[in-house]
Every structure is written in C-alpha cells, then in structure tokens.
Amino acid sequence: RQMLCLHGLLPPRVMSEEGQAERIMSGLRKRSSDLDRYTDLMDLLDRNEKLFYRVLCDHIQELMPIVYTPTVGRACQEYGHIFRRPKGLFITIHDLGHIESILANWPERDIKAICFTDGERILGLGDLGCDGMGIPVGKLALYTACAGIKPHNLLPVILDVGTDNEELLKDEYYIGLRQHRDRSANYDQLISEFIESVKLWFGPTTLLQFEDFGNRNAFRLLNEYRNKCCTFNDDIQGTASVALAGVYASLRLTKKKLCENTFLFQGAGEAAIGIAMLLVAAMKQEGVKEEDALKRIWLVDSKGLVVKDRTKGGIAGTHKIPFAHQHEYIETLKEAVEVLKPTCLIGEQLAVTISGGARAHSSQLFGRVQ
C-alpha cells in the first residue's frame, strides 16, 4: 500500500476476494426484489468486473435467474429508468455507411463472439427497442460464467431502428431513437453492413448470435446469412438443440425411435418452429423421408390447429406452412390432444400454464398424451 501510495486510503483490514464475494452475496440476499439484485450486480460489473464474475461463477444456480431470465425481462422493461452506465455498442439506423468506424471505437480488437438484437421481440414481452440491450449483456455474461470465455472477447450490440412501442416512445427516460421502426430497405442494409463490418474488423470467424429478432425477420435473416458467416439464431436454433436433447433423453425411457413419436406444439413462434425443424432433420438422419417426418409434427397457434386452408385466422408466416397438414380445423390444444393423440407435447406456454397455477388442468392434459 505504501509503494502504491494507498496507505490511509483503504480500511486497515485486508479482505480476500472470497470474503468480498460473500459480502456481496450477503447484500444481495437482503434485497427485497430481484430487480434490485439485478441493479446491484450490474453496478458491481461496472466497478469490479473480476469480482462480478467471481460472485456469478461461485453462485451460478442462485444468480442465473437474476442475470438472465426471468429477471432480465423486467430489467429491460425498466431499462431506461435503471440505466447507469452504457455496456456494449449502440448502432442506429442513422449510422448506415459508418458502422465500421463505430466498431473501431470499441477498445478491444480480439472479439470472439457478438450477441446482437434489434429489440423487436424481447423474450415474451414484445418490442422493447433499445431497452432490449439487457438481453445481449446478460447472455454474454453467461458465456463467461458458464463457458469460461473471457469477457474482453465478447461484445453485446443493439441495432436500434426505432420501436413501435408507443409507451416507450412517450417515456422520457427511454434511451433509444424516438421513432417508429424503420421497415424500409434500410433495415436490410443495416444488417448487411453490420455483418460485413464485423467480418472485416474482427475477422470472419467471429461468432454472430442473432437474439430476439421478430418473426418477420428472424427466419429470413438466418436463411440469408447462415452460409455467409459464423452465425446462429439462439431463439430458433439454440432452443431447438436443448429441446431435441431432452427428447433424445426421453427415448431411453420410452424405448421408441424418434420417428415413432407424434409431436404436438403449443405455439408456432421462432422457438417452436426451430424445434420442429430440428426434429425433422433428426428424423431424416434416421432414414425417414422429409415429407413423412413433417407428418409427425403438429402446431397449435393462437388461432388453433395449423392446418391447410384454415378458414379461421389463416396462416401467418411462411415458416408454418410445411407443418400445415390436411385435417379438420381444431380450435383448442385440449381438443387437439384428444384427436391427434400425441406422444410428446412441446411448448413454452405449457410451462406457463403450470407455473400459473392451473396444475390440475395441466395434469389432465398431460394424462391424455399417449
């Protein structure tokens, strides 16, 4: 302390990193809400990155729901109100033609992975615009805590093209562009310039993770860039890989082949379609023809069972069409289970139903699964 001219500037007691971490956890546990715990952790990340990751790694099971879902969703909803210090890069639709120079402003050059979003479909909360930055920040914190990737090799990015959330546009503390979403050709130009600038500035092997893009863009952008750069869409492909692993694990108990199952999905968004597509690919590896694999998968969306020539609500989005079979229209999931007799139910809303308290109804529903 004397050599560094710190004598008298610090308390007499020298506390180890372990002791500092336990003090942080003690304070977090005294907080009355998870949002307060999230804010405390982000403040810690700002002032002492090493201690932040020590706390997170030592208490990953307890803190993962704080750093990421479900608390990060609430944090994004309040992002402008709890904003302290910027994290990551903020690139707007007005930066077209200058994105490489913005990347050059980032102090690190050795970037291995980038998580980026346009904020249009943040978790199940909808369009949060620039306030969706909490998602890339939280996701990359888990890259370090769970996968051991060094923080300076990671970069969270928000592509701000505006928001159609009227409440945010009227919020005096909203941190993003105060305009409706730009859905012109400029949007695609922004994505293209961003990806090409990343490849030029950080290298072609830099991982680009699409996160929480809206349905209208997620599938087409993945198809556009999946063979042009090192990329994946977490909502479509990441969720699917975990779900397929769970299905494979269940086959050890049921003693069935994957292609001997009938899958029924509650929901037909990015996650559901991603899982369904990966199930088809997995069945094809078993030697099943694609058309036969598709017949094993059914979708129930907000309008009911997805079938060909559906008179009620039609079919929104081309990504559902391969799973629209010739069948009579069924309005509810319960009826679909009774008629189709699936062997596997998949869907986030099923978990929501159970956690929401309707356990008896859900038990009856699962009881009808073959």
Side-chain angles (χ1 to χ4, degrees):
R1 292 186 179 188
Q2 289 177 335
M3 291 177 62
L4 295 174
C5 300
L6 295 175
H7 192 70
L9 302 182
L10 298 170
R13 182 184 173 187
V14 176
M15 183 169 283
S16 66
E17 186 179 78
E18 181 181 2
Q20 295 177 59
E22 287 306 313
R23 180 167 59 192
I24 294 294
M25 287 304 302
S26 176
L28 290 175
R29 289 164 181 155
K30 291 176 182 177
R31 285 294 197 177
S32 59
S33 74
D34 285 342
L35 184 58
D36 288 339
R37 296 183 184 95
Y38 174 89
T39 304
D40 285 353
L41 283 169
M42 291 301 104
D43 287 342
L44 177 62
L45 177 58
D46 285 338
R47 69 177 184 269
N48 192 332
E49 184 182 71
K50 185 177 180 181
L51 183 58
F52 169 81
Y53 283 110
R54 174 63 187 267
V55 170
L56 183 58
C57 290
D58 286 354
H59 304 275
I60 188 65
Q61 187 171 355
E62 183 177 352
L63 295 182
M64 187 181 289
I66 308 298
V67 173
Y68 206 60
T69 54
T71 306
V72 73
R74 179 61 177 164
C76 287
Q77 289 178 308
E78 301 288 339
Y79 207 74
H81 295 257
I82 63 174
F83 186 79
R84 300 288 191 277
R85 182 179 176 184
K87 299 177 179 66
L89 279 180
F90 297 81
I91 299 174
T92 79
I93 194 71
H94 304 311
D95 295 322
L96 273 171
H98 307 283
I99 294 179
E100 188 175 352
S101 64
I102 294 175
L103 296 180
N105 290 336
W106 190 249
E108 299 288 347
R109 282 296 303 270
D110 188 19
I111 298 298
K112 304 296 186 185
I114 294 173
C115 181
F116 69 107
T117 182
D118 69 354
E120 186 172 10
R121 194 200 64 84
I122 297 298
L123 303 176
L125 304 172
D127 187 350
L128 296 184
C130 198
D131 284 355
M133 181 54 130
I135 297 296
V137 170
K139 183 61 66 73
L140 293 181
L142 297 184
Y143 268 48
T144 297
C146 299
I149 302 175
K150 295 179 180 179
H152 68 267
N153 294 142
L154 304 171
L155 175 59
V157 175
I158 188 83
L159 299 180
D160 187 358
V161 298
T163 178
D164 291 335
N165 187 324
E166 295 297 335
E167 290 185 9
L168 287 179
L169 292 174
K170 296 175 184 177
D171 188 343
E172 62 178 322
Y173 298 114
Y174 178 56
I175 65 172
L177 292 178
R178 293 183 180 276
Q179 66 175 53
H180 287 97
R181 284 191 169 271
D182 189 330
R183 301 194 185 279
S184 69
N186 288 338
Y187 178 89
D188 284 354
Q189 291 178 23
L190 180 73
I191 300 295
S192 176
E193 184 181 338
F194 171 69
I195 290 176
E196 291 305 314
S197 296
V198 165
K199 290 163 64 176
L200 285 170
W201 192 252
F202 298 125
T205 61
T206 305
L207 173 65
L208 285 155
Q209 175 183 332
F210 285 89
E211 183 74 31
D212 287 351
F213 280 71
N215 287 350
R216 72 180 72 196
N217 292 316
F219 290 98
R220 69 179 188 86
L221 290 176
L222 177 60
N223 291 333
E224 173 70 21
Y225 291 105
R226 66 192 311 164
N227 296 318
K228 296 180 179 178
C229 59
C230 180
T231 188
F232 79 103
N233 183 300
D234 190 42
D235 308 290
I236 298 173
Q237 297 168 291
T239 303
S241 63
V242 175
L244 181 61
V247 172
Y248 273 137
S250 73
L251 300 181
R252 300 174 186 173
L253 300 176
T254 62
K255 309 300 181 184
K256 289 184 177 182
K257 292 183 178 180
L258 187 66
C259 60
E260 293 173 345
N261 286 275
T262 298
F263 299 91
L264 178 60
F265 285 79
Q266 169 66 23
E270 293 173 41
I273 297 297
I275 299 168
M277 289 164 54
L278 195 58
L279 283 169
V280 171
M283 282 188 267
K284 287 172 66 177
Q285 285 192 336
E286 290 185 351
V288 180
K289 294 181 179 179
E290 182 171 334
E291 55 267 30
D292 293 329
L294 288 169
K295 291 176 183 177
R296 311 295 300 185
I297 298 172
W298 299 81
L299 308 176
V300 174
D301 63 11
S302 60
K303 306 290 193 308
L305 186 67
V306 176
V307 294
K308 287 184 177 179
D309 304 318
R310 186 168 66 176
T311 56
K312 186 175 181 180
I315 300 177
T318 57
H319 52 279
K320 300 179 187 179
I321 293 177
F323 304 98
H325 308 305
Q326 196 68 51
H327 195 280
E328 63 178 344
Y329 171 71
I330 299 175
E331 188 170 2
T332 68
L333 177 65
K334 180 181 177 182
E335 292 176 275
V337 170
E338 293 174 344
V339 173
L340 300 175
K341 296 179 172 52
T343 57
C344 183
L345 278 176
I346 300 177
E348 183 181 353
Q349 292 303 315
L350 295 172
V352 172
T353 299
I354 295 174
S355 64
R359 293 182 181 274
H361 170 75
S362 298
S363 298
Q364 293 173 7
L365 185 64
F366 292 136
R368 293 185 175 93
V369 177
Q370 303 298 307

